[in-house]
Amino acid sequence: MINRAVLTGRLTRDVDLRYTPSGAAVGNFTLAVDRQFTNQNNEREADFINCVIWRKSAENFANFTHKGALVGIDGRIQTRNYENQQGQRVYVTEVVVENFALLEPRSANNNAGNSNNGGNNNAPTGNAPQNTNPFGNPNTNGAANNNNQNSGDNQADPFANNGDSIDISDDDLPF
């Protein structure tokens, strides 16, 4: 059987991070995912998809994202039900996140500086958001990312006006 969900969207609110009685972290959030087409008024609609993420990934996700952040998630769809306080049966469908990627630099959002760990080098993944590209492959050159953050224009070409040639060996190519 195949049960995969791959989504790209924006967080509708900050991650609701809680802990189970046994100490496992669990984060709940809603992802707004644009539809591919527009409605009759030529407006693009969105689907709001409930997601849940567990353990260390939940802590990292909550620490490095905030409302409006563009993220990609990979997981599986899960359904569950429970009885609420009024005795009614409630059915829930959600995506259980197994992997995620931060799809824009932290400095692209106004609230990014406020959610920074204050220079704490003991953060769960250090500078993971700045070192993660949209394809999920971390950059190993943290210095280049720090210089890029201060430039104010994160879309600028890092090799423009450099004049140096770039040597890439066949071993560095992914194909």
Side-chain angles (χ1 to χ4, degrees), residues 62-109:
N63 285 334
F64 295 118
T65 61
H66 57 276
K67 178 180 177 179
L70 181 66
V71 298
I73 64 166
D74 174 36
R76 59 186 167 80
I77 296 175
Q78 173 178 287
T79 59
R80 60 185 171 87
N81 63 73
Y82 63 93
E83 194 170 301
N84 66 11
Q85 294 176 346
Q86 291 78 26
Q88 299 171 324
R89 180 69 48 197
V90 177
Y91 294 90
V92 178
T93 301
E94 59 199 358
V95 175
V96 178
V97 178
E98 295 171 1
N99 295 301
F100 68 88
L102 307 177
L103 300 181
E104 60 189 0
R106 210 170 186 171
S107 59
N109 298 306

Side-chain angles (χ1 to χ4, degrees), residues 18-164:
R18 298 181 183 187
Y19 291 88
T20 65
S22 62
V26 58
N28 292 296
F29 60 95
T30 302
L31 200 64
V33 180
D34 284 340
R35 293 184 178 171
Q36 294 291 328
F37 52 87
T38 57
N39 63 16
Q40 291 178 346
N41 298 331
N42 210 21
E43 297 170 345
R44 190 170 301 275
E45 295 179 352
D47 292 302
F48 297 90
I49 302 179
N50 295 324
C51 303
V52 62
I53 187 167
W54 290 89
R55 297 177 185 77
K56 191 67 171 175
S57 294
E59 293 174 336
N60 290 338
F61 193 75
N63 285 334
F64 295 118
T65 61
H66 57 276
K67 178 180 177 179
L70 181 66
V71 298
I73 64 166
D74 174 36
R76 59 186 167 80
I77 296 175
Q78 173 178 287
T79 59
R80 60 185 171 87
N81 63 73
Y82 63 93
E83 194 170 301
N84 66 11
Q85 294 176 346
Q86 291 78 26
Q88 299 171 324
R89 180 69 48 197
V90 177
Y91 294 90
V92 178
T93 301
E94 59 199 358
V95 175
V96 178
V97 178
E98 295 171 1
N99 295 301
F100 68 88
L102 307 177
L103 300 181
E104 60 189 0
R106 210 170 186 171
S107 59
N109 298 306
N110 295 336
N111 298 342
N114 297 338
S115 62
N116 193 346
N117 287 319
N120 181 1
N121 291 333
N122 296 325
T125 56
N127 292 331
Q130 292 90 358
N131 294 340
T132 303
N133 70 28
F135 304 106
N137 299 327
N139 297 330
T140 56
N141 187 355
N145 285 327
N146 291 338
N147 291 339
N148 196 20
Q149 286 177 347
N150 296 332
S151 69
D153 182 12
N154 290 330
Q155 302 301 324
D157 183 0
F159 302 107
N161 301 324
N162 191 352
D164 295 337

